Amino acid sequence: MLSMSASNERKIIKQYQPLIRALIPYEQHNKLLEGLNKFAGRVPSPVRKIIRDEVIRLTSLTDAPVDNSAFAQFPVFKFSHFGVQMCLDKVGTRILHKESALYQQRYTVGVFETLTSSDFYQEHIKKENYKKVVDAFTVETQSLQDIHFGEDIAITPNFPVSSPEFERGRNCSVSSLGYKTMTLESKRPAKVGAGDEFNFHFPDVPGLPKGLTINYVASAMKFNQQTEKYETHFKMAASVGPKMTQIIEKYINLASFQQPLQRQLESERTMQDLERDRILDNSPWVPVFINRTPKGLRPQMALFTKNNETLSGGRQGLNIATRKRLFPRLMTEIHRYKEVYIISGTMSSKQGDYYLTATLRELESSDLLAPVIHIMNKNGSLRCLQCRLAGVEAEDKEKAFSIHDLTLLDYPDLADIDKVIFYKEVSSSLADLVITEKRAIPAVAEDFVDDLNSFAMDIVREEGLDNRVESRFLLDRPGAVKTGLLTAAPVTIKDISVRGLRLVFEQQPKKVDKEIKVTIPELKVKNQKYEVVDYNPNTREMRLKLPTKRDTIASGIGQFVQKNAAYFKNRDLALLQRNTHRFLWELAMRHHPSASILCTTNRYLLNRLKTVYQTSDCDDLYPFSQVDNVAPMHGFFADREAQKPKSELLSAIFSGAVTHTSVFHCVRNSDSKLVFLPEPSFRFGALRNNVKQQLHEHKVTLCVTRIEVSRCASALTPLTKKRLAQLSRIDKPMYDRFNVMQSSYTHVLFLTSESVLHNSIMNASLRPYKQVEKTARRAEA
C-alpha cells in the first residue's frame, strides 16, 4: 500500500469531515467497524484507514488546558471542567457543552481541537446567528379551511331549558350545548351535587322533535367572572340512547352556522372569518364562478372588490379570461395543471393587425412565446393573466346557504356553481422582455386568433360599490322597441326602476339610436321615449333612462311598484345582489389561491407579520415549507449576510416605497441545496446565462416568488358587522375587543409563485431590455 503525504491526508480529513463526526458515536460504543461498513463501504481502503485513524485520534482522552481568548468575544471566564483549567467566553462554553455531548461527556482531543479552532468558532457563531434570523422571521400559519372543532363543538342556543327538579322548574339559559354536554347559567349557585340526574325539557324549536326531554347528570359548577354568573355543567346520562344522541348531534351541526358557538369557540371562529374576509377584500385575485350547465361548464358570475377591479384590469381583464374561443382550451389545461397563464395582445401580419389570445403553454409548444412577447412589448399591447382553479364542494355551498339564511329555491343558479377560477394581472412580470437574436416567426394557429367574443357575465359587487341610486326590481317580462312606422323589435324587460330599465333584444338591432321608444304591456307603458345609456353588442343588452322631464311616467311606475309591493318585495335587485354577493364571498374566501400574510401595527418591525393564511395544497412558499403550523419567512424578507434579524424590504414595504417585488432562488437538484439569486444580477447580469445553462442541463430548479403589497384602506370589510353580530350576543367584552382590533391591521402581503412563467421565459431566451438594448437594435437592423 502506497503511503500518502500529510497534505493529502489533511485534504481527505477535510473532505470526509461530516462522515468522521457521524462515526464518533459508533467509536464511543465500540462499534466503529459497523459504522465504517454502514457509511464507508464504497470508500477506497487507504481513505477508509485515514478516516478510522482520525476517529480514534479524536475520541482519545486528553488533559490539555483550553484558552480561546485570542479570538473570543469578551468577557472571558476562567473555570475548571473535567478537572482541566479552561478560559472560555459564553460562545466557547456553549461549544464545550455541545461537543462534550457528542463525545459522551468526555474531554477528548476532538473537544480540545474544536475549542481552540478559530474557524470552528466563527462557523458556530454563523450558525447561531442564522438560527436567530430564522426564528425571528418565523410566522404562525392558519388554514383557509374552517376550523374543525370535532367532538368539542358546542353552540349557544337562543332557547332555555327547564326541569322540575332543577331551580324549581324555572327556565334556565343554555350557555353551551354540545354533543353530550350542556351548561346552564344562573345568577345564584344551583343547589345540586355531582352525580345528580335531571330530566330537562327542550322547547319546540325547528330541528328538534316536539316535547323532547333528555336526562343529564350534573358534573361540576363554576363561577364565570366574565359573565358574573354561575355555570352548572352537565353530561348526558348513560341511559340516553344513541337515537337521542344522533338527534342532538344533527341539530348542533345544522345550527352551528346560524347560531353562535360556545364563547371560546365562537371567538376563534370569528377571528378566522374576519381575517379571511380582510384577505379577500384586499386581494388582487378576481374570482370567476363556473356553473355546470347542460352545455357544459360556463362562467356565470365574477366577484369584484374595489381592490381587485383596480389591480386586475376591471372588465377588460374579465373579458380576456372569459373568451368563448379560449375557454374550452383554458378549462382543459387548468384541470390538468391547476394554473394557467393567458397572454393576449395585438399582432401584425400582411393582412393587417389582429388580436391574439392563447395560454403560455400553447405559445411555448408552438415556438411562438419569444416572438409574441417581443412584438407585444414593442407595440405596448401585452396583457398577461395568471389563473388558478379551485373546486367547490357541496359542503361549501351548504355552509354559504346556511350562514346567510338563504334557500336553494330562491337562488338556483348559486347551487349550480361547480368551480372557481381566480385570475390576476401579471403583465409587469413580462414587461421589457425582448429577444436577442433575429428569428423567423412560425405560423400562428387559427385557434390563437381572438374574435373578441366573451361570455355574458354577471358582475357582483358590494353595496357600497354599486353606483345605482334607485331601487331596481326584477321584472323579466316581454316588451317591444319601436324600429319603424309600423314595426317593432321584441325585447325582454329584465329589470326596472322609477327612471330606468334594462332590456335584452331577441335579435341584434340594425342600429342603435340615442333615443328609442319602449312598450311594456305589463306596466301599461306604450311607446315611451327613453335615452340609451349603454349597449353591449355581445349580450344584446341595453340600459336606458327616462329623459329629465318625464316625471309623470316616473311617478306612474313608482305607484305601480307600490301597489304590487308584495310581488316586488322578493324581486328587489339590491336585496338579491346583496345575498348573492355574500354567498359568493363565502366561497371565494375559503379558496383564496395564494399565500397571504396579515400585518398589524407593532413597534417591532418583524412582529408586524401576524399570520400566514394558505390552503393545504399551496406551493407558493416553495422552496420553503410550513413546519408545525409555522412558516419561515427569512428567505423572502431577511437581509442577506446580516448578523442580526433585519429587513430593509419590510421597512420599504411598510413605508410605501415598495408595492411589489420578486424574490429569486435556485434549488440544486443533486442535493436540494438552496441558492439565493439577487434580482439585479439575475435579471441583468452574467448570472442569468449561468442559470439558463444549468436549467437546460436539468441541474437546478428556478423558484420565483412575487410579493404584492396591499394597504388596508378601511378598518371594516363588507362582512365585518355580520361576523361580529353573533359574538355580540354572547360576549360583549370580546365583541368590543375584536371591533377595536380591526383598525390594527395595516397591510396584507400576497406571495405567489411565478416559477412556471419565469422558467418558460428563460427557455425562450428572453432578456430584460436594459441589458440587451444595443444587441436588440443590431438584431432588428
Side-chain angles (χ1 to χ4, degrees):
M1 186 182 295
L2 295 174
S3 61
M4 199 171 290
S5 65
S7 61
N8 287 339
E9 285 188 9
R10 286 195 295 270
K11 289 181 181 179
I12 290 172
I13 291 172
K14 185 176 181 180
Q15 179 183 353
Y16 288 93
Q17 191 63 34
L19 175 59
I20 291 171
R21 290 182 65 85
L23 289 172
I24 288 172
Y26 286 87
E27 169 62 14
Q28 301 290 329
H29 294 90
N30 296 321
K31 294 182 179 180
L32 180 57
L33 182 60
E34 178 184 334
L36 285 169
N37 292 334
K38 182 177 181 180
F39 298 115
R42 297 184 180 182
V43 176
S45 295
V47 176
R48 182 184 172 109
K49 181 178 182 302
I50 293 173
I51 293 173
R52 184 195 65 192
D53 293 343
E54 179 65 12
V55 172
I56 294 173
R57 185 186 73 83
L58 291 175
T59 54
S60 60
L61 297 175
T62 183
D63 58 355
V66 177
D67 185 353
N68 73 344
S69 56
F71 51 81
Q73 296 179 352
F74 291 94
V76 176
F77 304 95
K78 292 183 179 180
F79 59 94
S80 177
H81 193 65
F82 297 116
V84 178
Q85 291 299 317
M86 298 190 176
C87 185
L88 302 173
D89 65 342
K90 290 183 179 179
V91 177
T93 305
R94 289 198 293 269
I95 294 174
L96 171 64
H97 293 304
K98 181 180 178 181
E99 292 300 305
S100 298
L102 177 64
Y103 289 90
Q104 302 294 316
Q105 298 302 328
R106 296 195 301 172
Y107 184 56
T108 64
V109 173
V111 177
F112 171 78
E113 290 185 353
T114 54
L115 290 173
T116 55
S117 171
S118 175
D119 293 339
F120 190 92
Y121 183 91
Q122 297 300 329
E123 185 67 23
H124 183 82
I125 291 178
K126 187 176 180 180
K127 288 180 180 179
E128 283 190 339
N129 289 339
Y130 179 75
K131 186 177 184 304
K132 290 178 182 178
V133 170
V134 173
D135 292 342
F137 282 90
T138 298
V139 184
E140 179 187 353
T141 62
Q142 179 70 272
S143 173
L144 285 170
Q145 295 301 312
D146 292 329
I147 299 174
H148 182 64
F149 296 107
E151 296 290 329
D152 296 330
I153 190 170
I155 63 173
T156 304
N158 55 0
F159 59 77
V161 297
S162 63
S163 172
E165 299 86 11
F166 182 79
E167 291 290 280
R168 298 180 182 179
R170 287 195 295 264
N171 288 334
C172 297
S173 299
V174 183
S175 64
S176 173
L177 178 63
Y179 287 162
K180 295 183 179 181
T181 61
M182 183 172 65
T183 304
L184 302 183
E185 289 182 335
S186 58
K187 294 182 178 180
R188 296 183 179 87
K191 297 178 180 180
V192 297
D196 292 347
E197 186 170 335
F198 301 92
N199 183 259
F200 285 99
H201 297 269
F202 284 72
D204 296 339
V205 294
L208 292 177
K210 292 184 178 180
L212 177 65
T213 61
I214 303 178
N215 288 353
Y216 282 90
V217 178
S219 59
M221 182 183 295
K222 297 179 181 178
F223 180 73
N224 191 323
Q225 294 183 349
Q226 292 182 341
T227 61
E228 296 183 350
K229 291 182 180 180
Y230 289 91
E231 294 182 342
T232 309
H233 298 262
F234 296 89
K235 292 182 180 179
M236 198 172 285
S239 59
V240 178
K243 185 177 180 180
M244 192 65 67
T245 305
Q246 291 174 2
I247 291 174
I248 294 297
E249 289 182 4
K250 183 179 179 181
Y251 174 76
I252 291 174
N253 292 335
L254 291 174
S256 60
F257 292 103
Q258 295 179 331
Q259 298 186 26
L261 301 180
Q262 183 263 342
R263 286 186 182 86
Q264 183 178 356
L265 305 185
E266 182 63 27
S267 63
E268 292 180 26
R269 182 171 72 173
T270 303
M271 174 64 77
Q272 186 192 36
D273 286 344
L274 289 170
E275 293 191 334
R276 291 186 300 186
D277 289 343
R278 188 164 301 279
I279 289 171
L280 182 60
D281 191 42
N282 291 276
S283 173
W285 294 90
V286 177
V288 178
F289 298 88
I290 314 299
N291 284 30
R292 188 170 292 278
T293 67
K295 296 182 179 180
L297 296 174
R298 291 288 184 272
Q300 297 287 349
M301 291 173 281
L303 181 63
F304 273 171
T305 65
K306 187 175 182 180
N307 215 47
N308 68 20
E309 186 174 7
T310 303
L311 297 176
S312 296
R315 189 62 189 252
Q316 186 178 2
L318 179 62
N319 289 338
I320 294 173
T322 57
R323 292 280 194 249
K324 288 185 176 180
R325 179 172 287 187
L326 171 70
F327 192 75
R329 309 198 314 268
L330 171 65
M331 292 305 298
T332 301
E333 187 173 321
I334 205 169
H335 268 112
R336 182 176 180 182
Y337 298 104
K338 304 301 180 186
E339 181 181 71
V340 171
Y341 291 87
I342 300 175
I343 295 176
S344 182
T346 305
M347 298 287 289
S348 300
S349 67
K350 294 180 180 179
Q351 288 76 26
D353 293 345
Y354 63 94
Y355 213 77
L356 181 146
T357 301
T359 69
L360 176 74
R361 292 183 179 89
E362 288 176 338
L363 294 177
E364 198 171 13
S365 61
S366 304
D367 199 24
L368 282 167
L369 182 61
V372 163
I373 291 179
H374 178 88
I375 293 171
M376 290 182 180
N377 268 327
K378 189 176 178 181
N379 61 33
S381 64
L382 177 66
R383 297 289 297 275
C384 183
L385 302 180
Q386 183 180 11
C387 305
R388 289 186 174 180
L389 179 68
V392 178
E393 303 294 335
E395 183 183 358
D396 297 328
K397 291 182 281 189
E398 289 174 4
K399 288 179 182 178
F401 276 121
S402 180
I403 290 171
H404 299 291
D405 199 17
L406 307 178
T407 60
L408 179 62
L409 294 176
D410 293 336
Y411 301 89
D413 290 343
L414 300 181
D416 293 334
I417 295 175
D418 190 69
K419 301 183 187 304
V420 185
I421 290 181
F422 292 85
Y423 76 87
K424 72 181 180 76
E425 183 96 28
V426 291
S427 303
S428 59
S429 297
L430 301 179
D432 300 328
L433 290 176
V434 296
I435 51 180
T436 57
E437 69 278 350
K438 191 174 182 179
R439 62 170 74 176
I441 302 178
V444 177
E446 186 178 351
D447 288 342
F448 299 170
V449 179
D450 195 348
D451 59 2
L452 304 181
N453 192 9
S454 301
F455 284 100
M457 297 288 296
D458 291 332
I459 307 296
V460 181
R461 296 180 174 89
E462 61 179 281
E463 289 181 283
L465 299 180
D466 195 336
N467 55 10
R468 295 177 176 86
V469 296
E470 292 182 342
S471 297
R472 296 178 302 137
F473 301 94
L474 187 65
L475 191 64
D476 204 15
R477 289 290 188 272
V481 171
K482 190 172 183 179
T483 57
L485 184 62
L486 299 174
T487 59
V491 298
T492 301
I493 310 299
K494 288 295 185 181
D495 61 66
I496 61 167
S497 65
V498 173
R499 291 185 173 274
L501 60 85
R502 178 171 64 97
L503 57 82
V504 176
F505 286 88
E506 292 186 4
Q507 295 181 351
Q508 199 74 251
K510 294 181 180 179
K511 65 175 182 176
V512 179
D513 298 324
K514 292 183 179 180
E515 292 184 342
I516 62 173
K517 293 182 177 180
V518 181
T519 298
I520 311 174
E522 187 86 11
L523 303 182
K524 298 180 181 180
V525 173
K526 186 174 181 180
N527 291 334
Q528 175 58 48
K529 187 180 292 186
Y530 276 85
E531 295 178 358
V532 177
V533 176
D534 177 66
Y535 176 69
N536 188 339
N538 292 330
T539 60
R540 305 189 303 277
E541 182 179 277
M542 181 178 288
R543 296 182 182 275
L544 309 168
K545 70 173 183 178
L546 279 173
T548 52
K549 297 182 179 180
R550 287 292 188 274
D551 294 336
T552 304
I553 298 297
S555 61
I557 295 175
Q559 290 174 6
F560 179 82
V561 171
Q562 290 178 1
K563 287 180 181 179
N564 299 273
Y567 174 81
F568 285 106
K569 181 180 179 181
N570 294 326
R571 303 176 77 85
D572 186 346
L573 285 181
L575 175 64
L576 296 175
Q577 180 154 336
R578 184 192 312 126
N579 291 336
T580 302
H581 172 268
R582 290 184 172 185
F583 183 94
L584 300 182
W585 187 281
E586 293 292 340
L587 298 184
M589 78 165 190
R590 287 172 169 81
H591 297 91
H592 190 268
S594 64
S596 314
I597 306 177
L598 286 165
C599 304
T600 58
T601 54
N602 198 294
R603 60 182 298 185
Y604 299 107
L605 180 67
L606 303 186
N607 290 343
R608 296 189 66 174
L609 304 179
K610 181 182 180 292
T611 312
V612 178
Y613 275 85
Q614 60 180 348
T615 57
S616 57
D617 56 350
C618 180
D619 294 327
D620 289 322
L621 299 185
Y622 186 80
F624 304 93
S625 59
Q626 172 183 331
V627 180
D628 296 332
N629 293 327
V630 293
M633 293 288 119
H634 63 283
F636 304 111
F637 301 110
D639 291 347
R640 310 297 158 184
E641 305 300 330
Q643 298 297 320
K644 295 181 179 180
K646 293 181 180 180
S647 177
E648 292 184 5
L649 177 58
L650 283 179
S651 299
I653 286 174
F654 294 135
S655 66
V658 172
T659 57
H660 59 83
T661 187
S662 294
V663 181
F664 300 85
H665 292 91
C666 259
V667 179
R668 199 158 60 193
N669 295 334
S670 58
D671 57 1
S672 299
K673 184 177 180 181
L674 184 64
V675 180
F676 171 74
L677 307 176
E679 184 175 2
S681 302
F682 172 75
R683 289 176 61 83
F684 307 113
L687 179 62
R688 190 177 185 89
N689 289 330
N690 297 336
V691 173
K692 179 186 173 183
Q693 182 64 28
Q694 298 287 323
L695 285 172
H696 182 71
E697 297 173 358
H698 303 289
K699 292 183 177 180
V700 299
T701 301
L702 178 63
C703 303
V704 182
T705 305
R706 184 173 180 81
I707 302 173
E708 294 173 283
V709 184
S710 179
R711 187 179 184 89
C712 299
S714 172
L716 302 179
T717 66
L719 268 71
T720 299
K721 293 182 179 179
K722 166 71 177 177
R723 304 301 188 196
L724 292 172
Q726 300 269 37
L727 189 62
S728 65
R729 289 170 47 191
I730 60 172
D731 198 338
K732 190 65 167 60
M734 187 64 71
Y735 163 81
D736 294 334
R737 180 183 171 190
F738 278 15
N739 210 4
V740 173
M741 191 189 300
Q742 299 313 301
S743 60
S744 66
Y745 292 94
T746 59
H747 298 77
V748 185
L749 311 183
F750 297 94
L751 278 65
T752 310
S753 173
E754 292 185 355
S755 302
V756 173
L757 179 63
H758 284 270
N759 274 279
S760 298
I761 291 172
M762 296 292 288
N763 293 331
S765 299
L766 289 160
R767 294 181 68 91
Y769 181 73
K770 178 181 177 181
Q771 175 70 9
V772 295
E773 183 175 358
K774 295 182 180 179
T775 308
R777 287 179 179 174
R778 286 198 299 268
E780 289 177 2

